[in-house]
Amino acid sequence: MRRRWLKRGMALCMLFAIYLLSREGAILTAKTGAESRGLIMIDSGHGGIDPGVVGIGGLQEKEVNLEIARYLEKELKKEGYEVLLTREADMGLYDEDSRNKKVQDMQNRCAMIQEKKPLLTVSIHQNSYEDQEVCGPQVFYYTHSVKGATLAKCIQEELNQQLKVENPRVEKGNSTYYLLKRSEGVLNIVETGFLTNPREAELLATKEYQQKCAKAICHGILKFLKTVEMNSENMV
Ligand SMILES: [Zn+2]
């Protein structure tokens, strides 16, 4: 009789243990499913009436920017970040009846950043120059931002390495670009290449190269966030 009760007791204990384990499992799953590591904003430069640089073969900057932005969104989401794009289609952030669409567009991009307060923002652009030989990625940060400079260094280095740039540039401070000057928080302008360089324009039109650029930018962002985490007290 006693042995039977003992057996029943043990069976109950086991059932309870299984219940606890499955419950914990469910909580863990729920946590990983719901928790984000934070919001990252991707600004895809130009759009709508503003094509940005029109490069070799009529390649439009606004299209290349949006493709890279979308690939970058995927990469960051894989890493557990929430991502917001300032535009998801070929459109500007202005009203059709606006008198100055370009100004309204830039103001709205800044307003979005101000409202959403992301961990950081990267604004994707393409470069141009009269000398067709000039090529390679270039990252800009607001001159007076320590975190901006660190992010730019991380992204520039990744782009230089992963795109195997022959004459690598270093990140550059700037205090006149509207978005750098007027936006809140950490922001970089990332010019992934020159649409006026025949070889680079050809590459930037391909899905493979756009993905490569996105992966490099993503690695740069991850490296930056790790650095910030480690030195959070010393950085402004
Ligand atoms: Zn641009």
Side-chain angles (χ1 to χ4, degrees), residues 45-46 50-53 61-62 65 102 124-127 189 191:
H46 313 279
D50 173 18
V53 174
E61 183 191 350
K62 63 177 181 179
N65 294 344
K102 186 71 195 155
I124 311 290
H125 284 261
Q126 306 307 314
N127 229 330
I189 292 176
E191 312 245 14

Side-chain angles (χ1 to χ4, degrees), residues 56-87:
I56 287 169
L59 185 60
Q60 297 194 343
E61 183 191 350
K62 63 177 181 179
E63 291 170 10
V64 180
N65 294 344
L66 186 57
E67 290 305 314
I68 295 175
R70 284 202 181 116
Y71 287 127
L72 179 57
E73 178 188 20
K74 270 187 205 157
E75 293 298 322
L76 289 166
K77 279 186 172 170
K78 264 194 253 167
E79 297 295 329
Y81 290 94
E82 198 186 328
V83 179
L84 198 66
L85 268 66
T86 50
R87 67 176 176 98

Side-chain angles (χ1 to χ4, degrees), residues 15-168:
L15 275 172
F16 187 62
I18 289 167
Y19 162 74
L20 278 181
L21 276 171
S22 63
R23 192 170 164 267
E24 182 64 10
I27 290 167
L28 286 176
T29 320
K31 263 189 180 170
T32 47
E35 264 185 22
S36 147
R37 297 177 75 182
L39 174 70
I40 292 174
M41 183 96 89
I42 307 171
D43 175 45
S44 178
H46 313 279
I49 54 154
D50 173 18
V53 174
V54 179
I56 287 169
L59 185 60
Q60 297 194 343
E61 183 191 350
K62 63 177 181 179
E63 291 170 10
V64 180
N65 294 344
L66 186 57
E67 290 305 314
I68 295 175
R70 284 202 181 116
Y71 287 127
L72 179 57
E73 178 188 20
K74 270 187 205 157
E75 293 298 322
L76 289 166
K77 279 186 172 170
K78 264 194 253 167
E79 297 295 329
Y81 290 94
E82 198 186 328
V83 179
L84 198 66
L85 268 66
T86 50
R87 67 176 176 98
E88 304 218 24
D90 180 13
M91 52 174 272
L93 278 74
Y94 51 76
D95 300 322
E96 282 310 318
D97 58 355
S98 170
R99 276 196 195 168
N100 198 334
K101 294 187 169 73
K102 186 71 195 155
V103 170
Q104 195 189 23
D105 176 88
M106 294 308 284
Q107 284 172 342
N108 281 336
R109 287 173 202 249
C110 289
M112 256 181 107
I113 297 166
Q114 194 178 12
E115 189 202 328
K116 300 292 178 186
K117 298 187 173 35
L119 294 172
L120 59 92
T121 305
V122 280
S123 182
I124 311 290
H125 284 261
Q126 306 307 314
N127 229 330
S128 68
Y129 199 62
E130 55 203 35
D131 180 357
Q132 290 197 349
E133 290 297 307
V134 177
C135 62
Q138 174 81 81
V139 185
F140 294 94
Y141 62 92
Y142 185 51
T143 315
H144 309 292
S145 167
V146 176
K147 275 187 181 175
T150 311
L151 174 64
K153 187 178 171 55
C154 293
I155 297 178
Q156 183 76 60
E157 281 176 1
E158 285 297 322
L159 283 167
N160 289 344
Q161 278 171 28
Q162 294 191 34
L163 303 179
K164 299 184 175 64
V165 178
E166 278 175 27
N167 301 306

Side-chain angles (χ1 to χ4, degrees), residues 139-152 171-183 185-189 236:
V139 185
F140 294 94
Y141 62 92
Y142 185 51
T143 315
H144 309 292
S145 167
V146 176
K147 275 187 181 175
T150 311
L151 174 64
E171 65 283 0
K172 209 170 178 182
N174 178 289
S175 54
T176 58
Y177 289 164
Y178 187 94
L179 212 56
L180 293 177
K181 224 168 52 173
R182 300 290 179 89
S183 66
V186 185
L187 183 141
N188 278 181
I189 292 176
V236 185

